[in-house]
Amino acid sequence: MIRRPMVVKFAVFIVAVGLALLSTHTIALEVPEGPVILVVSGKVGQTNVGDEAHFDKAMLEGLAQHETITRTPWHDGVMRFSGPLGRAILEAVGAEGENIRVVALNEYAATVPISDFENYDVILAMQANGKALRIRDQGPLFVIYPFDQHPELLDEEIFSRSVWQVTRIDVE
Ligand SMILES: Nc1nc2c(c(=O)[nH]1)N[C@H]1C(S)=C(S)[C@@H](COP(=O)(O)O)O[C@H]1N2
Ligand SMILES: [Mo]
């Protein structure tokens, strides 16, 4: 009489713990509702459309955001950029590679070591000075390194990784 409810309680506990673990580790990304602005493919553990992770604006805004105040070789004066941290995107998709291939609308692509996103607060800027980056402003996503905070980033190789009009990331 006493043991049975205990067993039931234990079973309920186990199921609850299982569901909690599932919700943080294995439930797939939500499905985008708005226009898809970023597709992440390759070595990803989290998918929502086929074997890829697709993000709309709201999903990107739901990731850890960061503001970077810096000059760049492509802008006049000090700019205030904001958007998701590169590492937050890679975490959200369960990226497991060494490098990513960042691909732009014009088919320009650059290989970026994932360590850059770990060592620096690199963002995929969605806004500059509070305004959404349109395609004509080199949006919708622009890889922005914190140049003013880390002058060693003022380097031709890093400039080549500063892809604008980003549409796709392939985890290699
Ligand atoms: N979308 C896109 N991003 C890009 C490029 C490009 O052609 N398209 N060129 C890259 C390279 S190789 C460098 S050095 C810098 C070039 O900036 P610049 O054209 O102002 O010299 O942007 C990088 N980002
Ligand atoms: Mo370049």
Side-chain angles (χ1 to χ4, degrees):
M1 294 291 268
I2 285 169
R3 293 179 67 96
R4 223 179 138 87
M6 293 265 299
V7 165
V8 170
K9 276 182 197 162
F10 187 66
V12 167
F13 174 72
I14 290 296
V15 168
V17 167
L19 285 175
L21 287 175
L22 272 175
S23 68
T24 54
H25 292 283
T26 54
I27 286 183
L29 287 168
E30 59 184 294
V31 174
E33 284 172 16
V36 172
I37 47 187
L38 178 69
V39 172
V40 188
S41 57
K43 293 186 182 170
V44 295
Q46 301 285 324
T47 58
N48 55 9
V49 179
D51 57 3
E52 299 176 332
H54 291 206
F55 290 86
D56 62 14
K57 187 164 171 278
M59 290 168 70
L60 290 172
E61 287 169 349
L63 300 174
Q65 306 290 301
H66 185 76
E67 191 171 84
T68 301
I69 297 174
T70 189
R71 288 161 293 183
T72 83
W74 310 283
H75 299 87
D76 291 328
V78 177
M79 300 285 288
R80 181 169 51 87
F81 297 100
S82 60
L85 282 160
R87 61 177 169 273
I89 295 174
L90 297 183
E91 271 165 36
V93 302
E96 270 166 23
E98 285 264 307
N99 295 296
I100 55 173
R101 189 92 183 136
V102 182
V103 184
L105 271 174
N106 67 346
E107 296 298 314
Y108 174 83
T111 298
V112 178
I114 286 177
S115 57
D116 278 13
F117 287 9
E118 289 159 359
N119 297 337
Y120 299 101
D121 291 333
V122 180
I123 62 173
L124 273 86
M126 300 178 74
Q127 293 198 343
N129 297 338
K131 283 195 198 152
L133 288 171
R134 301 164 300 178
I135 289 173
R136 76 191 76 158
D137 311 312
Q138 296 162 307
L141 297 169
F142 194 145
V143 175
I144 296 288
Y145 283 77
F147 295 108
D148 280 5
Q149 292 71 33
H150 300 276
E152 72 273 19
L153 293 171
L154 294 168
D155 172 275
E156 190 61 35
E157 188 158 35
I158 299 297
F159 296 157
S160 76
R161 297 175 188 166
S162 300
V163 184
W164 57 80
Q165 297 179 332
V166 173
T167 58
R168 174 178 286 269
I169 292 174
D170 191 38
V171 183
E172 299 179 333

